[in-house]
Amino acid sequence: MNSESLIGKAIEVLSQNDRGDHTVPAKDLYPHQWLWDSCFIAIGLRHYDIVRAQQELLSLLKGQWSNGMMPNMILSREKGAVRHKPELWQSNLSPYSPDSVPTSGITQPPMLAEAVVKIGKKLPLRERRSWYRRMYKAIVKYHEWLYYERDPHNEGLSLQIHSWETGLDNTPPWMNELHEHQQAFWIRFVHAAKLEFIFTLLRQDRKFALPGERLSTLDGLILYSIQRRLRRKAYDIKRIINHSQVAIEDLTFNCILIRANKMLQTIAKTIGEELPEELLKRMRKTENALEDLWDEHTGQYYSRNFASHDLIKIPSIATFMPLYAGCISKDRAKKLVDLLKSPSYSTRYPIPTVPTNSDWFQEKVYWQGPTWMNTNWLVIQGLEHYGFKEAAEHVKQQSIKLVEKNGFCEYFSPKDGEPAGTEDFSWTAALIIDLLQS
Ligand code: GLC
């Protein structure tokens, strides 16, 4: 298929998922507006409808909390399998939540500044400046929150309190930590009495994706029980981290934060603003703190448990995100590229979200093996940044082949490219447009 018709098809997917001022990730399955989805979507939209791309990001701002938090979901009443009703989150338990916009109480990787700058690059200087001015204050507030709330010991890394905050819901480093901690009584009971099947019958997501392609019911229950715990603490970070066993300084999240900090500096410079001194100090610290996540023995970066400071040494797609962060040495970047070329990552359709030689690897299970377009896109940006043009081009071409072969589905088998998850997924479409046009 030539690139023009592929782009045409991608545009069709995005318009089918368009809800006026924002785009849902996929109709029927995901009815809400998700934070990092909208950022990826805007990055694609900017190539053919810049005003709509700006709207996609502006509509995120109405969900921002008064303390700066950008929620991972702005909730809608539209029907869909991933329900997350406002009653489930009760975001109004927090004094900082917006009065009339129901949201979740947690965030997602800070892709916003990157999406704003990508749009800015398409605009002539005067319009770019006015675009940046519209977004600047909200992003500064968000980044301040990511540090003042989420880096309480001033160590340079932002902590996450739920795996949903990483966007990689059931990624092995998180699931491993969660499995090691004692589960809520009712979950232990359900498991011991082998009652998971009852909850499985109630699952709506299975109407849109085959059972073997989603996370297990037990893992789903564990994630919901953490969500309930956060709600009980009214999303108050002090109360949460005093009791939580699952605060993690996530590698992917912090790499995206490092890149976002650079983008925020670009925005500030373009409009002649000075970032607050304290924020700048915190931002500088993160680049150095990334080194604390490096393990010399295995030659990889990992996420870290916030309380124990132990690295969670389970490889996953996060391993390559320091390339996207762009602050590691060329030497380190080369080591990561060698790893990317090693047999357990060089599947026919790279990049598997878990290496194939890991006990965790499952070809089609959500974030435990499949190839996703957004993680590919992030790694491609990183490879290009460090000048690994051939490696970047390889991932890019195989990503394009995936959608040519199987459409814009949510994720794909890294081995044979078979589609998995739901069909017509917005960020797959948007990022293919970007890969074809950048
Ligand atoms: C799933 C993904 C998450 C995404 C959301 C909406 O929860 O894990 O990254 O934002 O779906 O697409």
Side-chain angles (χ1 to χ4, degrees):
M1 199 183 299
N2 66 25
S3 58
E4 236 169 74
S5 43
L6 203 55
I7 290 173
K9 289 206 158 133
I11 293 176
E12 264 171 44
V13 170
L14 289 172
S15 52
Q16 165 194 307
N17 295 341
D18 190 332
R19 295 294 176 271
D21 68 346
H22 72 277
T23 311
V24 294
K27 73 172 174 45
D28 301 329
L29 182 59
Y30 297 111
H32 313 289
Q33 181 177 20
W34 267 265
L35 175 55
W36 79 334
D37 294 64
S38 275
C39 296
F40 292 127
I41 290 163
I43 288 170
L45 278 171
R46 75 191 167 120
H47 292 288
Y48 64 95
D49 190 346
I50 197 116
V51 174
R52 182 63 188 76
Q54 291 173 308
Q55 183 54 55
E56 188 74 26
L57 300 185
L58 285 166
S59 68
L60 286 170
L61 304 190
K62 65 178 187 293
Q64 186 168 32
W65 288 23
S66 64
N67 61 358
M69 204 269 281
M70 300 282 304
N72 77 329
M73 282 183 277
I74 297 178
L75 304 173
S76 113
R77 290 276 176 196
E78 185 177 317
K79 282 211 176 90
V82 177
R83 274 204 222 120
H84 285 281
K85 286 192 181 152
E87 297 74 31
L88 176 80
W89 283 96
Q90 295 176 28
S91 51
N92 55 3
L93 287 172
S94 165
Y96 306 115
S97 65
D99 293 338
S100 52
V101 182
T103 72
S104 67
I106 57 172
T107 191
Q108 236 182 0
M111 285 298 305
L112 185 58
E114 167 92 282
V116 167
V117 170
K118 287 265 190 234
I119 290 176
K121 282 193 177 146
K122 289 265 176 195
L123 295 167
L125 187 60
R126 269 177 67 164
E127 285 176 40
R128 188 185 313 154
R129 285 203 181 117
S130 80
W131 165 236
Y132 287 174
R133 282 198 189 100
R134 286 174 86 181
M135 300 301 288
Y136 176 69
K137 283 204 181 110
I139 307 178
V140 171
K141 253 189 124 184
Y142 180 37
H143 284 224
E144 287 182 327
W145 177 84
L146 286 167
Y147 284 106
Y148 304 159
E149 282 268 316
R150 292 306 189 84
D151 179 18
H153 303 157
N154 195 356
E155 294 174 309
L157 297 170
S158 184
L159 69 92
Q160 286 66 60
I161 52 178
H162 197 299
S163 63
W164 290 336
E165 291 202 309
T166 73
L168 316 175
D169 305 9
N170 61 333
T171 186
W174 275 80
M175 291 326 289
N176 192 65
E177 289 289 286
L178 296 178
H179 290 167
E180 277 183 4
H181 291 115
Q182 194 171 48
Q183 309 306 335
F185 168 75
W186 63 274
I187 294 189
R188 278 182 284 145
F189 174 75
V190 166
H191 189 48
K194 298 196 175 16
L195 293 175
E196 278 114 329
F197 75 95
I198 300 179
F199 292 91
T200 304
L201 289 175
L202 296 172
R203 286 178 68 161
Q204 298 286 323
D205 60 341
R206 300 209 166 180
K207 288 188 194 151
F208 303 96
L210 297 171
E213 297 175 1
R214 309 303 284 184
L215 69 171
S216 70
T217 297
L218 189 68
D219 283 353
L221 292 177
I222 293 174
L223 298 187
Y224 271 99
S225 82
I226 305 173
Q227 185 270 335
R228 286 161 58 106
R229 225 182 291 154
L230 301 178
R231 186 180 71 195
R232 276 202 298 279
K233 308 239 178 308
Y235 309 108
D236 175 342
I237 193 69
K238 288 198 188 75
R239 291 174 64 200
I240 291 166
I241 53 177
N242 277 344
H243 297 97
S244 175
Q245 303 141 321
V246 287
I248 291 175
E249 290 149 333
D250 183 78
L251 179 56
T252 300
F253 195 107
N254 279 282
C255 288
I256 292 177
L257 175 59
I258 289 171
R259 169 89 181 175
N261 285 338
K262 281 195 206 122
M263 295 297 117
L264 177 54
Q265 282 172 296
T266 302
I267 296 171
K269 201 170 159 211
T270 311
I271 57 175
E273 288 279 352
E274 298 275 338
L275 285 166
E277 196 47 47
E278 178 57 22
L279 178 61
L280 277 171
K281 271 195 215 148
R282 296 287 195 115
M283 282 163 48
R284 274 184 222 117
K285 230 176 181 175
T286 309
E287 298 199 4
N288 297 329
L290 190 64
E291 284 313 289
D292 300 338
L293 304 184
W294 173 256
D295 174 57
E296 188 59 41
H297 183 61
T298 54
Q300 294 183 42
Y301 292 88
Y302 297 103
S303 295
R304 183 171 81 174
N305 182 299
F306 170 71
S308 67
H309 271 198
D310 289 338
L311 295 181
I312 307 167
K313 295 189 192 170
I314 300 180
S316 70
I317 189 68
T319 307
F320 303 106
M321 293 305 157
L323 293 167
Y324 176 70
C327 64
I328 58 173
S329 67
K330 185 93 202 214
D331 194 39
R332 280 281 167 79
K334 168 86 176 53
K335 282 195 176 133
L336 293 183
V337 174
D338 289 344
L339 186 63
L340 185 66
K341 290 181 177 164
S342 70
S344 47
Y345 284 106
S346 38
T347 52
R348 182 146 178 227
Y349 296 100
I351 306 164
T353 38
V354 170
T356 53
N357 62 354
S358 160
D359 290 345
W360 285 90
F361 177 77
Q362 301 191 71
E363 195 179 336
K364 284 192 168 181
V365 177
Y366 223 36
W367 294 101
Q368 297 191 349
T371 295
W372 286 72
M373 204 52 68
N374 67 330
T375 43
N376 274 9
W377 185 90
L378 291 167
V379 177
I380 291 169
Q381 308 299 305
L383 291 168
E384 283 173 352
H385 172 81
Y386 281 99
F388 295 103
K389 293 219 167 71
E390 213 179 291
E393 196 54 27
H394 175 64
V395 181
K396 182 170 162 176
Q397 289 311 325
Q398 292 309 95
S399 303
I400 294 168
K401 278 196 191 131
L402 272 176
V403 298
E404 276 175 348
K405 215 173 139 201
N406 286 312
F408 300 92
C409 62
E410 198 178 0
Y411 41 96
F412 306 83
S413 154
K415 291 189 167 169
D416 56 17
E418 281 294 300
T422 190
E423 290 175 345
D424 293 343
F425 193 65
S426 295
W427 83 40
T428 308
L431 295 177
I432 279 296
I433 297 176
D434 192 61
L435 291 179
L436 287 168
Q437 304 229 322
S438 297

